[in-house]
Amino acid sequence: MEVTRLIDYLEAYFPLSLQEGWDNSGLQISPQESSIKGVLLSLDVNSQTINEAIKLGCNLIVSHHPLLFSSTKKIFNDFYPYNVLYKAIQKGIGVYAFHTNLDIAEGGLNDYLCNLLELKDIEIIENKRPLRIGRLNRGLDFEVFVDYVKEKLSCDAIKYIKANDRLIKRVAVCSGSCMELVYEILDLDFDVFLSGDLKHHTAIFAKESGINVVDATHYHTEKFSKFILKDIIKRKFRELRVFVSESDYLPWDYR
């Protein structure tokens, strides 16, 4: 099957026009051959991802995070991401990313998280496009909700801010690195904000503003992207060789 046929099919679900202005979703590296031998679905593209693609005989990686974000003036082979770029090109492996368009689209990553958390009455916040707000079946104490998130997202440890004693019923959800939205959502009706990549000063702002926050990490809120893509691909292309990467990882450890 031709690469363009698969990409056109996926873009119908997650149009590039939905991506944020700063994003670089789309084709990162064109494969050496236009015909697909196998597809590897990943969250990130690192050295292990390329090795995995080679081992599985895949010549196309479809990732969530783009390998390249900003304009590039120089390429050196001794640091990331250019070492990965070099190896992918040498091995004829193409890379395509569905990033914020997958976050924003209906049926995409944030809707998946809402379903995983069993939220009801999901609201899409128009001027905060990735953000969803949904309702739990019953109110939970904050500590119980934190444990609930750990279980549903399979997190070993998460950061949180308990800024009030409110019972958790309405949950604001935004995958990845959306914590800066804390400054923009004070007027919305929710009891806790779930995202990743909470920074020090943003945490102080949330605490002082009375906003409960759960930071489930960038990785754990976005690791499901590859399963979304696999499900959609297999609906139409059942015979296509599609693999879910086992090389994605949380890049730090806890003690």
Side-chain angles (χ1 to χ4, degrees):
M1 189 177 75
E2 296 295 302
V3 172
T4 52
R5 186 181 175 199
L6 175 63
I7 296 305
D8 288 346
Y9 171 70
L10 290 174
E11 284 184 359
Y13 286 90
F14 312 113
L16 291 178
S17 59
L18 287 181
Q19 70 178 309
E20 301 285 7
W22 49 264
D23 197 10
N24 190 34
S25 293
L27 188 65
Q28 311 281 294
I29 305 170
S30 59
Q32 192 172 50
E33 298 181 21
S34 61
S35 181
I36 298 175
K37 296 178 180 177
V39 181
L40 180 62
L41 305 173
S42 68
L43 173 61
D44 297 301
V45 183
N46 53 49
S47 298
Q48 295 177 43
T49 319
I50 302 298
N51 291 336
E52 189 178 15
I54 295 168
K55 182 179 179 180
L56 294 170
C58 296
N59 65 334
L60 179 64
I61 295 171
V62 179
S63 65
H64 183 48
H65 292 142
L67 181 60
L68 300 171
F69 269 106
S70 56
S71 58
T72 300
K73 295 184 178 181
K74 297 180 181 180
I75 297 178
F76 298 95
N77 192 26
D78 52 356
F79 61 89
Y80 184 82
Y82 305 114
N83 59 326
V84 177
L85 181 72
Y86 260 96
K87 191 166 187 177
I89 292 172
Q90 287 174 343
K91 298 298 181 179
I93 297 171
V95 176
Y96 194 101
F98 287 94
H99 190 211
T100 54
N101 48 332
L102 179 60
D103 296 335
I104 291 168
E106 291 190 40
L109 188 49
N110 281 292
D111 287 334
Y112 186 97
L113 286 177
C114 288
N115 290 334
L116 193 64
L117 294 168
E118 300 180 37
L119 302 181
K120 309 297 182 184
D121 304 325
I122 308 301
E123 302 172 25
I124 300 174
I125 311 304
E126 291 298 329
N127 61 340
K128 307 288 185 294
R129 295 188 300 166
L131 186 68
R132 305 290 194 266
I133 297 179
R135 175 181 56 81
L136 291 166
N137 280 329
R138 61 186 179 88
L140 299 176
D141 290 334
F142 183 80
E143 290 80 4
V144 175
F145 176 74
V146 170
D147 289 338
Y148 178 73
V149 171
K150 287 176 66 177
E151 177 189 351
K152 290 293 185 179
L153 272 59
S154 299
C155 302
D156 294 327
I158 55 179
K159 294 188 294 186
Y160 62 86
I161 296 170
K162 184 179 181 182
N164 59 62
D165 293 321
R166 187 182 303 159
L167 201 63
I168 305 302
K169 297 178 181 177
R170 288 177 58 80
V171 183
V173 175
C174 195
S175 65
S177 185
C178 286
M179 281 298 178
E180 297 304 303
L181 282 178
V182 164
Y183 298 102
E184 305 175 28
I185 59 176
L186 292 172
D187 59 337
L188 298 180
D189 179 19
F190 64 94
D191 302 310
V192 64
F193 181 39
L194 169 64
S195 187
D197 287 350
L198 179 63
K199 296 179 181 179
H200 178 81
H201 295 292
T202 308
I204 293 174
F205 176 85
K207 186 82 170 181
E208 292 288 331
S209 302
I211 301 174
N212 293 321
V213 172
V214 172
D215 179 350
T217 74
H218 198 130
Y219 171 79
H220 283 299
T221 59
E222 296 204 322
K223 63 186 179 183
F224 307 102
S225 55
K226 50 195 177 185
F227 301 110
I228 297 170
L229 291 168
K230 182 181 180 181
D231 178 65
I232 291 173
I233 292 171
K234 284 299 184 180
R235 289 177 197 173
K236 186 169 183 177
F237 305 113
R238 294 186 179 182
E239 302 304 316
L240 186 63
R241 296 176 67 248
V242 179
F243 302 90
V244 172
S245 176
E246 297 179 358
S247 299
D248 291 313
Y249 60 91
L250 188 67
W252 54 80
D253 296 311
Y254 296 98
R255 289 180 66 94

